[in-house]
Amino acid sequence: QVQLKESGGGLVQAGGSLRLSCAASGLTFSRYAMGWFRQAPGKEREFVAAVSRSGAGLDYPDSVKGRFTISRDNAKNTVYLQMNSLKPEDTAVYYCAGGTFMGWPTRRPYDYDYWGQGTQVTVSS
């Protein structure tokens, strides 16, 4: 049974930092590209970051580039999202996802096979 479990969310003031973790089990982690998405109330799920199977490939949208950093540790079956200089508009539920898609990069949620339950990030102004 594949499980992705996010942790590290919480309440932080604008300008602060958080580090999210996503622990994977039940799959061969190194075969999956991993991504982070977020969804705010009333909005569509939004791509945040992705890392390739090896960790060499990284992709970010302009909205988080330079502030967020995705990384992975294949020995620990874990992907991370370091979030710095947080803004109130970063408030959302953050989800990690894994996919075996061949094309790189992809920002489309439907390309990912497995999803975590999400962790809430709230940035106060």
Side-chain angles (χ1 to χ4, degrees):
Q1 181 181 359
V2 175
Q3 285 192 326
L4 301 178
K5 178 65 175 175
E6 302 95 338
S7 61
L11 173 64
V12 64
Q13 288 188 332
S17 298
L18 282 175
R19 189 195 195 201
L20 305 183
S21 299
C22 173
S25 60
L27 52 72
T28 304
F29 186 69
S30 60
R31 293 182 181 177
Y32 286 76
M34 299 299 295
W36 286 95
F37 291 78
R38 65 187 181 188
Q39 189 165 18
K43 295 188 176 181
E44 292 186 353
R45 193 161 293 192
E46 176 188 15
F47 170 75
V48 174
V51 59
S52 64
R53 293 166 179 78
S54 68
L58 305 174
D59 187 37
Y60 305 96
D62 289 343
S63 58
V64 308
K65 192 174 292 183
R67 300 189 298 124
F68 291 11
T69 302
I70 189 171
S71 61
R72 66 188 295 160
D73 186 335
N74 284 350
K76 295 182 178 180
N77 287 5
T78 301
V79 61
Y80 305 96
L81 184 68
Q82 177 68 42
M83 304 186 295
N84 298 329
S85 302
L86 282 161
K87 305 175 181 179
E89 52 262 45
D90 294 319
T91 295
V93 177
Y94 282 70
Y95 300 89
C96 72
T100 57
F101 48 85
M102 298 306 294
W104 172 265
T106 181
R107 301 181 176 186
R108 302 175 300 193
Y110 56 81
D111 282 329
Y112 289 81
D113 304 306
Y114 298 106
W115 292 82
Q117 294 295 311
T119 185
Q120 176 70 45
V121 171
T122 303
V123 184
S124 64
S125 58

